[in-house]
Amino acid sequence: MPLVHTGPSQEEPRDERHERARKIHPEYTRGELVRVAGGRNQAEAELIQGLLLEEGVPSMLRRTAGFDVPDFLAAGPRDVMVAESGVAVAREVLSMSELAPSEAEERPFGSRAVRIFAGLLVVGFFGLLLAWVLYQSAA
């Protein structure tokens, strides 16, 4: 009698968590969490999570920074996070399903803030320049 069962498992999943755990490939669970996609709301993010789980990639949802409003728990964008070892597979799955983030979503939040700040500085500089020219012409 063999010590290891070689045939397909006949054990039925006990609950939903047990069924999810059976789908996860352990090689995709190593490393730090990395953002691979974002959903506009919780339902869309859970759809992305389901697509990744079907390929064996475990994921976690996180509220996008700046959208933590307790009164609207299901509203607001969500980040879909996966372990570093599963990033390549997750991006491949998302690109096949046309849910991959665009280049604008890939940029970090700081770059947008820097562009806005630079724009405000330029507008302020031209405002001061105009005020100086008007002051010189009046004198």
Side-chain angles (χ1 to χ4, degrees), residues 4-40:
V4 178
H5 183 67
T6 58
S9 174
Q10 299 299 326
E11 178 187 1
E12 291 295 321
R14 295 184 295 268
D15 57 5
E16 186 179 336
R17 286 187 339 185
H18 185 239
E19 185 176 358
R20 283 179 58 95
R22 289 175 60 185
K23 291 181 180 181
I24 293 173
H25 294 290
E27 62 267 14
Y28 300 142
T29 61
R30 293 178 183 87
E32 296 291 319
L33 292 176
V34 177
R35 181 186 185 275
V36 292
R40 291 176 291 202

Side-chain angles (χ1 to χ4, degrees), residues 19-97:
E19 185 176 358
R20 283 179 58 95
R22 289 175 60 185
K23 291 181 180 181
I24 293 173
H25 294 290
E27 62 267 14
Y28 300 142
T29 61
R30 293 178 183 87
E32 296 291 319
L33 292 176
V34 177
R35 181 186 185 275
V36 292
R40 291 176 291 202
N41 52 44
Q42 185 172 354
E44 187 175 304
E46 287 175 355
L47 170 74
I48 295 169
Q49 235 183 347
L51 288 172
L52 294 175
L53 184 61
E54 289 302 315
E55 295 298 320
V57 180
S59 60
M60 182 186 94
L61 296 182
R62 178 184 71 180
R63 286 179 187 260
T64 302
F67 289 94
D68 192 17
V69 180
D71 295 338
F72 305 106
L73 293 177
R78 299 287 195 278
D79 294 333
V80 180
M81 313 287 286
V82 301
E84 287 176 336
S85 60
V87 169
V89 175
R91 289 202 172 134
E92 182 181 329
V93 168
L94 294 174
S95 67
M96 288 188 311
S97 65

